[in-house]
């Protein structure tokens, strides 16, 4: 199983980024897909989840700004991040969860002026 994230980078406050996570080696459409992040000196935290049927959940601090989506035909999950804030700076990780879980290598998102 491989999860490969892309789309991270440096963006100014108020800007947008779209993260992608391409999955291979698993039956993507039956797995819950999650985005986590870890800020410097902080614990890893769950940002957003999308169930196989499309139901979504978000942590309160990103509601209304972030949108998680999935394309089962492309085995890819996305995280659209708008109105980014400095506190969104972190390494963002893709996670696949069913009976077990898998992790991507992470992609750095830096929000700074």
């Amino acid at each position: 199983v491989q999860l490969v994230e892309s789309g991270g980078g440096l963006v100014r406050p108020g800007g947008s980024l779209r993260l992608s996570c391409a999955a291979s080696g698993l039956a993507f459409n039956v797995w819950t897909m999650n985005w986590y992040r870890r800020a410097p000196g902080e614990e890893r935290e769950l940002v957003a989840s999308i169930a196989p049927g499309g139901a979504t959940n978000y942590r309160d601090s990103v509601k209304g700004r972030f949108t998680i989506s999935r394309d089962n035909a492309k085995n890819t999950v996305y995280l659209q991040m708008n109105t980014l804030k400095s506190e969104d700076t972190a390494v963002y990780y893709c996670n696949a969860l069913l009976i077990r879980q898998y992790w991507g290598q992470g992609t750095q998102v830096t929000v700074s002026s």
Side-chain angles (χ1 to χ4, degrees):
V1 174
Q2 265 198 315
L3 302 177
V4 180
E5 300 101 332
S6 61
L10 172 64
V11 64
R12 294 181 185 277
S16 298
L17 282 175
R18 187 195 198 204
L19 305 184
S20 300
C21 171
S24 59
L26 52 71
F28 181 80
N29 61 315
V30 302
W31 288 70
T32 292
M33 299 302 297
N34 305 299
W35 285 99
Y36 283 78
R37 67 187 180 188
R38 177 178 283 156
E42 301 289 333
E43 297 290 319
R44 185 170 56 196
E45 60 185 22
L46 179 61
V47 177
S49 296
I50 185 164
T56 58
N57 277 292
Y58 301 89
R59 69 180 304 105
D60 286 347
S61 61
V62 307
K63 284 180 180 177
R65 300 188 298 121
F66 291 11
T67 302
I68 189 170
S69 61
R70 65 192 298 160
D71 185 336
N72 290 338
K74 295 182 177 180
N75 286 6
T76 301
V77 62
Y78 305 96
L79 186 67
Q80 177 67 44
M81 305 186 294
N82 298 328
T83 320
L84 282 160
K85 305 175 181 180
S86 57
E87 51 263 44
D88 296 317
T89 294
V91 178
Y92 283 71
Y93 298 91
C94 178
N95 169 273
L97 177 66
L98 188 55
I99 296 172
R100 58 184 301 177
Q101 59 182 339
Y102 297 99
W103 294 91
Q105 81 288 351
T107 185
Q108 176 70 47
V109 171
T110 303
V111 185
S112 175
S113 55

mmCIF file of all heavy atoms in Angstrom, residues 76-109:
data_model
loop_
_atom_site.group_PDB
_atom_site.id
_atom_site.type_symbol
_atom_site.label_atom_id
_atom_site.label_comp_id
_atom_site.label_asym_id
_atom_site.label_seq_id
_atom_site.Cartn_x
_atom_site.Cartn_y
_atom_site.Cartn_z
ATOM 1 N N THR A 76 -8.008 8.805 -5.199
ATOM 2 C CA THR A 76 -7.378 10.022 -4.687
ATOM 3 C C THR A 76 -8.321 10.743 -3.727
ATOM 4 O O THR A 76 -9.527 10.818 -3.979
ATOM 5 C CB THR A 76 -6.988 10.953 -5.833
ATOM 6 O OG1 THR A 76 -6.072 10.271 -6.709
ATOM 7 C CG2 THR A 76 -6.314 12.214 -5.320
ATOM 8 N N VAL A 77 -7.741 11.256 -2.652
ATOM 9 C CA VAL A 77 -8.462 12.095 -1.713
ATOM 10 C C VAL A 77 -7.815 13.478 -1.736
ATOM 11 O O VAL A 77 -6.596 13.603 -1.911
ATOM 12 C CB VAL A 77 -8.474 11.488 -0.294
ATOM 13 C CG1 VAL A 77 -7.065 11.353 0.265
ATOM 14 C CG2 VAL A 77 -9.353 12.295 0.645
ATOM 15 N N TYR A 78 -8.642 14.496 -1.580
ATOM 16 C CA TYR A 78 -8.181 15.880 -1.666
ATOM 17 C C TYR A 78 -8.505 16.634 -0.377
ATOM 18 O O TYR A 78 -9.449 16.287 0.338
ATOM 19 C CB TYR A 78 -8.857 16.592 -2.837
ATOM 20 C CG TYR A 78 -8.694 15.913 -4.158
ATOM 21 C CD1 TYR A 78 -9.684 15.062 -4.649
ATOM 22 C CD2 TYR A 78 -7.551 16.107 -4.926
ATOM 23 C CE1 TYR A 78 -9.543 14.433 -5.872
ATOM 24 C CE2 TYR A 78 -7.394 15.483 -6.151
ATOM 25 C CZ TYR A 78 -8.399 14.646 -6.623
ATOM 26 O OH TYR A 78 -8.246 14.014 -7.835
ATOM 27 N N LEU A 79 -7.747 17.668 -0.139
ATOM 28 C CA LEU A 79 -8.070 18.602 0.933
ATOM 29 C C LEU A 79 -7.893 20.006 0.365
ATOM 30 O O LEU A 79 -6.769 20.456 0.133
ATOM 31 C CB LEU A 79 -7.177 18.405 2.151
ATOM 32 C CG LEU A 79 -7.550 19.259 3.366
ATOM 33 C CD1 LEU A 79 -8.904 18.816 3.936
ATOM 34 C CD2 LEU A 79 -6.479 19.184 4.454
ATOM 35 N N GLN A 80 -9.024 20.654 0.118
ATOM 36 C CA GLN A 80 -9.006 22.043 -0.343
ATOM 37 C C GLN A 80 -8.953 22.934 0.889
ATOM 38 O O GLN A 80 -9.835 22.849 1.754
ATOM 39 C CB GLN A 80 -10.246 22.353 -1.171
ATOM 40 C CG GLN A 80 -10.334 23.798 -1.628
ATOM 41 C CD GLN A 80 -9.263 24.166 -2.628
ATOM 42 O OE1 GLN A 80 -8.982 23.413 -3.547
ATOM 43 N NE2 GLN A 80 -8.654 25.338 -2.445
ATOM 44 N N MET A 81 -7.939 23.751 0.973
ATOM 45 C CA MET A 81 -7.735 24.608 2.142
ATOM 46 C C MET A 81 -7.799 26.061 1.708
ATOM 47 O O MET A 81 -6.959 26.515 0.916
ATOM 48 C CB MET A 81 -6.379 24.304 2.789
ATOM 49 C CG MET A 81 -6.185 22.839 3.146
ATOM 50 S SD MET A 81 -4.660 22.518 4.045
ATOM 51 C CE MET A 81 -3.452 22.921 2.795
ATOM 52 N N ASN A 82 -8.794 26.767 2.212
ATOM 53 C CA ASN A 82 -8.983 28.179 1.891
ATOM 54 C C ASN A 82 -8.807 29.030 3.144
ATOM 55 O O ASN A 82 -8.864 28.522 4.260
ATOM 56 C CB ASN A 82 -10.376 28.404 1.311
ATOM 57 C CG ASN A 82 -10.599 27.659 0.019
ATOM 58 O OD1 ASN A 82 -9.681 27.455 -0.772
ATOM 59 N ND2 ASN A 82 -11.838 27.242 -0.207
ATOM 60 N N THR A 83 -8.625 30.311 2.930
ATOM 61 C CA THR A 83 -8.471 31.263 4.034
ATOM 62 C C THR A 83 -7.465 30.731 5.053
ATOM 63 O O THR A 83 -7.730 30.664 6.263
ATOM 64 C CB THR A 83 -9.827 31.554 4.717
ATOM 65 O OG1 THR A 83 -10.852 31.665 3.742
ATOM 66 C CG2 THR A 83 -9.773 32.857 5.496
ATOM 67 N N LEU A 84 -6.317 30.374 4.563
ATOM 68 C CA LEU A 84 -5.307 29.768 5.427
ATOM 69 C C LEU A 84 -4.774 30.767 6.445
ATOM 70 O O LEU A 84 -4.657 31.971 6.172
ATOM 71 C CB LEU A 84 -4.169 29.200 4.596
ATOM 72 C CG LEU A 84 -4.493 27.850 3.929
ATOM 73 C CD1 LEU A 84 -3.577 27.571 2.754
ATOM 74 C CD2 LEU A 84 -4.414 26.730 4.949
ATOM 75 N N LYS A 85 -4.472 30.234 7.627
ATOM 76 C CA LYS A 85 -3.960 31.022 8.735
ATOM 77 C C LYS A 85 -2.578 30.490 9.134
ATOM 78 O O LYS A 85 -2.246 29.332 8.852
ATOM 79 C CB LYS A 85 -4.906 30.926 9.928
ATOM 80 C CG LYS A 85 -6.337 31.311 9.617
ATOM 81 C CD LYS A 85 -7.234 31.068 10.828
ATOM 82 C CE LYS A 85 -8.680 31.435 10.524
ATOM 83 N NZ LYS A 85 -9.564 31.204 11.696
ATOM 84 N N SER A 86 -1.849 31.300 9.843
ATOM 85 C CA SER A 86 -0.506 30.876 10.266
ATOM 86 C C SER A 86 -0.577 29.615 11.123
ATOM 87 O O SER A 86 0.318 28.764 11.055
ATOM 88 C CB SER A 86 0.187 31.998 11.028
ATOM 89 O OG SER A 86 -0.577 32.398 12.145
ATOM 90 N N GLU A 87 -1.654 29.475 11.883
ATOM 91 C CA GLU A 87 -1.785 28.299 12.740
ATOM 92 C C GLU A 87 -2.099 27.023 11.969
ATOM 93 O O GLU A 87 -2.157 25.943 12.559
ATOM 94 C CB GLU A 87 -2.845 28.528 13.825
ATOM 95 C CG GLU A 87 -4.180 29.029 13.322
ATOM 96 C CD GLU A 87 -4.305 30.539 13.439
ATOM 97 O OE1 GLU A 87 -3.334 31.270 13.101
ATOM 98 O OE2 GLU A 87 -5.395 31.002 13.852
ATOM 99 N N ASP A 88 -2.316 27.137 10.664
ATOM 100 C CA ASP A 88 -2.479 25.938 9.826
ATOM 101 C C ASP A 88 -1.132 25.364 9.390
ATOM 102 O O ASP A 88 -1.084 24.301 8.771
ATOM 103 C CB ASP A 88 -3.308 26.263 8.589
ATOM 104 C CG ASP A 88 -4.731 26.666 8.916
ATOM 105 O OD1 ASP A 88 -5.352 26.010 9.778
ATOM 106 O OD2 ASP A 88 -5.224 27.640 8.304
ATOM 107 N N THR A 89 -0.062 26.066 9.686
ATOM 108 C CA THR A 89 1.269 25.581 9.335
ATOM 109 C C THR A 89 1.551 24.256 10.024
ATOM 110 O O THR A 89 1.434 24.143 11.252
ATOM 111 C CB THR A 89 2.334 26.615 9.741
ATOM 112 O OG1 THR A 89 2.161 27.798 8.956
ATOM 113 C CG2 THR A 89 3.740 26.068 9.523
ATOM 114 N N ALA A 90 1.889 23.254 9.224
ATOM 115 C CA ALA A 90 2.109 21.910 9.754
ATOM 116 C C ALA A 90 2.535 20.995 8.619
ATOM 117 O O ALA A 90 2.454 21.367 7.441
ATOM 118 C CB ALA A 90 0.822 21.366 10.388
ATOM 119 N N VAL A 91 2.952 19.805 8.985
ATOM 120 C CA VAL A 91 3.089 18.724 8.011
ATOM 121 C C VAL A 91 1.744 18.008 7.963
ATOM 122 O O VAL A 91 1.219 17.610 9.011
ATOM 123 C CB VAL A 91 4.216 17.748 8.386
ATOM 124 C CG1 VAL A 91 4.287 16.616 7.357
ATOM 125 C CG2 VAL A 91 5.544 18.489 8.475
ATOM 126 N N TYR A 92 1.209 17.857 6.776
ATOM 127 C CA TYR A 92 -0.097 17.236 6.581
ATOM 128 C C TYR A 92 0.103 15.811 6.069
ATOM 129 O O TYR A 92 0.861 15.577 5.121
ATOM 130 C CB TYR A 92 -0.931 18.052 5.598
ATOM 131 C CG TYR A 92 -1.505 19.293 6.224
ATOM 132 C CD1 TYR A 92 -0.684 20.365 6.544
ATOM 133 C CD2 TYR A 92 -2.865 19.403 6.511
ATOM 134 C CE1 TYR A 92 -1.197 21.510 7.145
ATOM 135 C CE2 TYR A 92 -3.384 20.542 7.106
ATOM 136 C CZ TYR A 92 -2.547 21.583 7.421
ATOM 137 O OH TYR A 92 -3.060 22.706 8.022
ATOM 138 N N TYR A 93 -0.597 14.886 6.710
ATOM 139 C CA TYR A 93 -0.472 13.464 6.401
ATOM 140 C C TYR A 93 -1.805 12.896 5.940
ATOM 141 O O TYR A 93 -2.856 13.158 6.544
ATOM 142 C CB TYR A 93 -0.027 12.682 7.629
ATOM 143 C CG TYR A 93 1.324 13.070 8.165
ATOM 144 C CD1 TYR A 93 1.447 14.059 9.130
ATOM 145 C CD2 TYR A 93 2.476 12.440 7.714
ATOM 146 C CE1 TYR A 93 2.684 14.421 9.630
ATOM 147 C CE2 TYR A 93 3.724 12.790 8.207
ATOM 148 C CZ TYR A 93 3.816 13.780 9.162
ATOM 149 O OH TYR A 93 5.050 14.130 9.660
ATOM 150 N N CYS A 94 -1.733 12.087 4.939
ATOM 151 C CA CYS A 94 -2.878 11.314 4.467
ATOM 152 C C CYS A 94 -2.912 9.992 5.232
ATOM 153 O O CYS A 94 -1.860 9.391 5.494
ATOM 154 C CB CYS A 94 -2.709 11.073 2.973
ATOM 155 S SG CYS A 94 -3.995 10.090 2.198
ATOM 156 N N ASN A 95 -4.107 9.542 5.557
ATOM 157 C CA ASN A 95 -4.277 8.310 6.330
ATOM 158 C C ASN A 95 -5.448 7.525 5.754
ATOM 159 O O ASN A 95 -6.494 8.102 5.438
ATOM 160 C CB ASN A 95 -4.538 8.676 7.787
ATOM 161 C CG ASN A 95 -5.000 7.509 8.632
ATOM 162 O OD1 ASN A 95 -6.198 7.234 8.699
ATOM 163 N ND2 ASN A 95 -4.094 6.845 9.285
ATOM 164 N N ALA A 96 -5.245 6.227 5.615
ATOM 165 C CA ALA A 96 -6.309 5.329 5.181
ATOM 166 C C ALA A 96 -6.645 4.409 6.341
ATOM 167 O O ALA A 96 -5.750 3.799 6.948
ATOM 168 C CB ALA A 96 -5.866 4.522 3.972
ATOM 169 N N LEU A 97 -7.919 4.310 6.662
ATOM 170 C CA LEU A 97 -8.357 3.564 7.840
ATOM 171 C C LEU A 97 -9.467 2.591 7.489
ATOM 172 O O LEU A 97 -10.483 2.970 6.898
ATOM 173 C CB LEU A 97 -8.853 4.537 8.917
ATOM 174 C CG LEU A 97 -9.420 3.918 10.177
ATOM 175 C CD1 LEU A 97 -8.328 3.185 10.943
ATOM 176 C CD2 LEU A 97 -10.066 4.980 11.044
ATOM 177 N N LEU A 98 -9.245 1.333 7.850
ATOM 178 C CA LEU A 98 -10.316 0.330 7.771
ATOM 179 C C LEU A 98 -10.091 -0.575 8.982
ATOM 180 O O LEU A 98 -10.314 -0.144 10.118
ATOM 181 C CB LEU A 98 -10.260 -0.427 6.448
ATOM 182 C CG LEU A 98 -11.424 -1.373 6.132
ATOM 183 C CD1 LEU A 98 -12.762 -0.648 6.195
ATOM 184 C CD2 LEU A 98 -11.256 -2.024 4.769
ATOM 185 N N ILE A 99 -9.678 -1.784 8.803
ATOM 186 C CA ILE A 99 -9.321 -2.632 9.944
ATOM 187 C C ILE A 99 -7.936 -2.235 10.458
ATOM 188 O O ILE A 99 -7.658 -2.296 11.656
ATOM 189 C CB ILE A 99 -9.340 -4.113 9.534
ATOM 190 C CG1 ILE A 99 -10.764 -4.512 9.133
ATOM 191 C CG2 ILE A 99 -8.826 -5.000 10.670
ATOM 192 C CD1 ILE A 99 -10.871 -5.890 8.543
ATOM 193 N N ARG A 100 -7.095 -1.809 9.556
ATOM 194 C CA ARG A 100 -5.781 -1.288 9.909
ATOM 195 C C ARG A 100 -5.641 0.076 9.256
ATOM 196 O O ARG A 100 -6.582 0.548 8.613
ATOM 197 C CB ARG A 100 -4.688 -2.244 9.463
ATOM 198 C CG ARG A 100 -4.666 -2.548 7.981
ATOM 199 C CD ARG A 100 -3.619 -3.582 7.642
ATOM 200 N NE ARG A 100 -2.272 -3.143 8.039
ATOM 201 C CZ ARG A 100 -1.196 -3.893 7.904
ATOM 202 N NH1 ARG A 100 -1.285 -5.125 7.425
ATOM 203 N NH2 ARG A 100 -0.008 -3.436 8.265
ATOM 204 N N GLN A 101 -4.494 0.690 9.449
ATOM 205 C CA GLN A 101 -4.336 1.999 8.827
ATOM 206 C C GLN A 101 -2.969 2.136 8.177
ATOM 207 O O GLN A 101 -2.007 1.459 8.554
ATOM 208 C CB GLN A 101 -4.568 3.120 9.839
ATOM 209 C CG GLN A 101 -3.650 3.117 11.038
ATOM 210 C CD GLN A 101 -4.006 4.255 11.994
ATOM 211 O OE1 GLN A 101 -4.648 5.249 11.616
ATOM 212 N NE2 GLN A 101 -3.592 4.132 13.237
ATOM 213 N N TYR A 102 -2.950 3.016 7.194
ATOM 214 C CA TYR A 102 -1.726 3.325 6.469
ATOM 215 C C TYR A 102 -1.528 4.838 6.445
ATOM 216 O O TYR A 102 -2.504 5.599 6.491
ATOM 217 C CB TYR A 102 -1.804 2.789 5.038
ATOM 218 C CG TYR A 102 -1.929 1.299 4.943
ATOM 219 C CD1 TYR A 102 -3.165 0.690 4.743
ATOM 220 C CD2 TYR A 102 -0.806 0.479 5.056
ATOM 221 C CE1 TYR A 102 -3.288 -0.686 4.660
ATOM 222 C CE2 TYR A 102 -0.917 -0.901 4.972
ATOM 223 C CZ TYR A 102 -2.155 -1.469 4.776
ATOM 224 O OH TYR A 102 -2.268 -2.837 4.700
ATOM 225 N N TRP A 103 -0.261 5.239 6.320
ATOM 226 C CA TRP A 103 0.092 6.655 6.339
ATOM 227 C C TRP A 103 0.938 7.021 5.133
ATOM 228 O O TRP A 103 1.751 6.222 4.665
ATOM 229 C CB TRP A 103 0.907 6.978 7.598
ATOM 230 C CG TRP A 103 0.151 6.821 8.866
ATOM 231 C CD1 TRP A 103 0.050 5.710 9.647
ATOM 232 C CD2 TRP A 103 -0.642 7.821 9.515
ATOM 233 N NE1 TRP A 103 -0.742 5.960 10.737
ATOM 234 C CE2 TRP A 103 -1.183 7.249 10.685
ATOM 235 C CE3 TRP A 103 -0.939 9.158 9.223
ATOM 236 C CZ2 TRP A 103 -2.012 7.953 11.554
ATOM 237 C CZ3 TRP A 103 -1.761 9.858 10.103
ATOM 238 C CH2 TRP A 103 -2.278 9.249 11.248
ATOM 239 N N GLY A 104 0.731 8.249 4.676
ATOM 240 C CA GLY A 104 1.628 8.811 3.698
ATOM 241 C C GLY A 104 2.851 9.405 4.369
ATOM 242 O O GLY A 104 2.971 9.404 5.601
ATOM 243 N N GLN A 105 3.736 9.967 3.555
ATOM 244 C CA GLN A 105 4.996 10.494 4.067
ATOM 245 C C GLN A 105 4.856 11.933 4.563
ATOM 246 O O GLN A 105 5.746 12.437 5.261
ATOM 247 C CB GLN A 105 6.086 10.421 2.985
ATOM 248 C CG GLN A 105 6.068 11.559 1.960
ATOM 249 C CD GLN A 105 4.918 11.480 0.975
ATOM 250 O OE1 GLN A 105 4.189 10.488 0.913
ATOM 251 N NE2 GLN A 105 4.766 12.538 0.189
ATOM 252 N N GLY A 106 3.769 12.580 4.208
ATOM 253 C CA GLY A 106 3.525 13.949 4.655
ATOM 254 C C GLY A 106 3.961 14.996 3.644
ATOM 255 O O GLY A 106 4.866 14.762 2.836
ATOM 256 N N THR A 107 3.286 16.129 3.703
ATOM 257 C CA THR A 107 3.637 17.265 2.858
ATOM 258 C C THR A 107 3.572 18.527 3.710
ATOM 259 O O THR A 107 2.638 18.710 4.489
ATOM 260 C CB THR A 107 2.715 17.355 1.630
ATOM 261 O OG1 THR A 107 3.163 18.400 0.756
ATOM 262 C CG2 THR A 107 1.266 17.601 2.001
ATOM 263 N N GLN A 108 4.585 19.369 3.575
ATOM 264 C CA GLN A 108 4.684 20.555 4.406
ATOM 265 C C GLN A 108 3.797 21.671 3.874
ATOM 266 O O GLN A 108 3.832 21.987 2.680
ATOM 267 C CB GLN A 108 6.143 21.059 4.454
ATOM 268 C CG GLN A 108 6.346 22.341 5.223
ATOM 269 C CD GLN A 108 6.166 22.164 6.722
ATOM 270 O OE1 GLN A 108 6.705 21.228 7.315
ATOM 271 N NE2 GLN A 108 5.419 23.068 7.343
ATOM 272 N N VAL A 109 3.033 22.259 4.774
ATOM 273 C CA VAL A 109 2.247 23.460 4.472
ATOM 274 C C VAL A 109 2.730 24.559 5.405
ATOM 275 O O VAL A 109 2.707 24.396 6.627
ATOM 276 C CB VAL A 109 0.741 23.215 4.667
ATOM 277 C CG1 VAL A 109 -0.036 24.526 4.556
ATOM 278 C CG2 VAL A 109 0.233 22.195 3.653
#
